[in-house]
Amino acid sequence: MSPKPSNPTFDLSLEARLKLLAPRPGRLRAVLDTDTYNEIDDQFALVQAWLSPERIKLEAIYAAPFHNSRSSSPGEGMELSYQEILELLKRLDVDPKGLVYRGVTDYVGFDKVAREAEAVDDLVARARASSPDDPLYVIAIAAISNVASALLKAPDIIDRVVVVWLGGHALEWPHQVEFNLMQDVGGAQVLFDSGVPLVVVPCMGVTSHLHSSVPEIERYIEPCGEIGKFLSMRFKEYSDDHVGWAKEIWDMAAVAWLLDDSWTPSVLVPTPIMTDNTTYSTDRARHPMRYVTHVERNPILKDFIGKLQAFAGK
């Protein structure tokens, strides 16, 4: 059954929406929303964003909830992610004070309940301090619960932020049972119905092309100081069998869209309706979103390796 889309309290004109969805030159203010301990790709995305200050001014990092075999609850997943962020920043010689915030400990869910967290309050405050001419980019690479909570609490922020979300699969995929999306389907419904300018970076069928292998990681990443060793460890421990094995590094694609939109070609399409059954329905009269159709794997990895080597003095 498809839910009836909610009408946002605030809306944007088509002209204003398209202006916010257009790639911008210059330095971009951004926050990163990440379930960092869930997999191995959030770590790579965080490091690439932090090592790109000429393009991304990363103002805050939010720990997002997740629940799978690596956590006993969404709240524990958030806390584990918070601690993983600290581990990364320590190896980047970055003081986390005033930069890292704990996120919600439960999902928004089908009841569309805004959850309380310091990350939510910080996002609302930073968004309200922004403007349509200088928006805040929300790089979301996790369940969308922190962001959806902020949109529910403060729907007035939709003309001051652009959400770049790695979530769901390609539009033509037979289902949308993708980890970030299925963790909080109700939160995804809030996101799609809120009217916030949205860039969707799909997983299967699009970002599944963005991967690396153990030989590449050992050759180019592992020698780059403590942070390189840490990233290599996380990558290699994901599987016990590395023969003929490559691993997707999905989350880097969301950062890549901000770094150089030519690395993630995109089109404008109607924002889909997220059904309770974790599928997309289409209404072509819906407000447009930007949809990434492909990722250029090579320049994304080359950019990451070059910045990591420069940081390590290689």
Side-chain angles (χ1 to χ4, degrees), residues 14 17-18 20-22 162-165 167-171 176 181 188 191-193 195-202 257 266-274 280-293:
L14 179 60
R17 183 178 305 282
L18 295 181
L20 284 163
L21 287 174
V162 178
V163 179
V164 184
W165 186 41
H169 296 315
L171 290 174
Q176 295 300 320
L181 194 155
L191 177 73
F192 288 136
D193 293 348
V196 69
L198 175 63
V199 180
V200 168
V201 187
W257 186 83
S266 62
V267 295
L268 293 170
V269 299
T271 303
I273 299 169
M274 184 76 250
Y280 285 149
S281 288
T282 302
D283 176 355
R284 302 200 69 82
R286 295 260 285 175
H287 55 280
M289 69 176 189
R290 188 166 289 280
Y291 172 77
V292 172
T293 58

Side-chain angles (χ1 to χ4, degrees), residues 49-107:
W50 186 260
L51 295 182
S52 304
E54 75 292 340
R55 176 62 171 163
I56 298 174
K57 181 185 179 185
L58 191 58
E59 296 185 352
I61 304 170
Y62 307 140
F66 75 90
H67 184 202
N68 58 15
S69 61
R70 294 173 65 86
S71 70
S72 62
S73 68
E76 187 191 31
M78 184 280 296
E79 182 60 30
L80 289 168
S81 294
Y82 180 85
Q83 298 300 328
E84 184 82 346
I85 293 167
L86 299 185
E87 290 294 329
L88 288 165
L89 294 182
K90 179 172 67 175
R91 289 164 174 82
L92 289 169
D93 299 321
V94 176
D95 184 355
K97 186 176 181 180
L99 177 66
V100 187
Y101 297 85
R102 287 181 170 89
V104 300
T105 58
D106 202 358
Y107 303 124

Side-chain angles (χ1 to χ4, degrees), residues 104-121:
V104 300
T105 58
D106 202 358
Y107 303 124
V108 166
F110 290 114
D111 290 334
K112 314 295 194 294
V113 177
R115 305 297 180 179
E116 298 294 330
E118 58 182 9
V120 175
D121 292 339

Side-chain angles (χ1 to χ4, degrees), residues 111-182:
D111 290 334
K112 314 295 194 294
V113 177
R115 305 297 180 179
E116 298 294 330
E118 58 182 9
V120 175
D121 292 339
D122 185 81
L123 175 53
V124 170
R126 290 182 193 276
R128 284 179 169 162
S130 305
S131 71
D133 293 324
D134 185 22
L136 180 71
Y137 286 83
V138 182
I139 309 169
I141 53 177
I144 203 67
S145 311
N146 285 332
V147 179
S149 293
L151 292 168
L152 287 167
K153 289 187 70 173
D156 56 290
I157 67 175
I158 69 166
D159 66 340
R160 308 173 199 187
V161 300
V162 178
V163 179
V164 184
W165 186 41
L166 186 127
H169 296 315
L171 290 174
E172 67 274 13
W173 212 253
H175 62 77
Q176 295 300 320
V177 184
E178 178 276 324
F179 188 76
N180 288 349
L181 194 155
M182 72 180 184

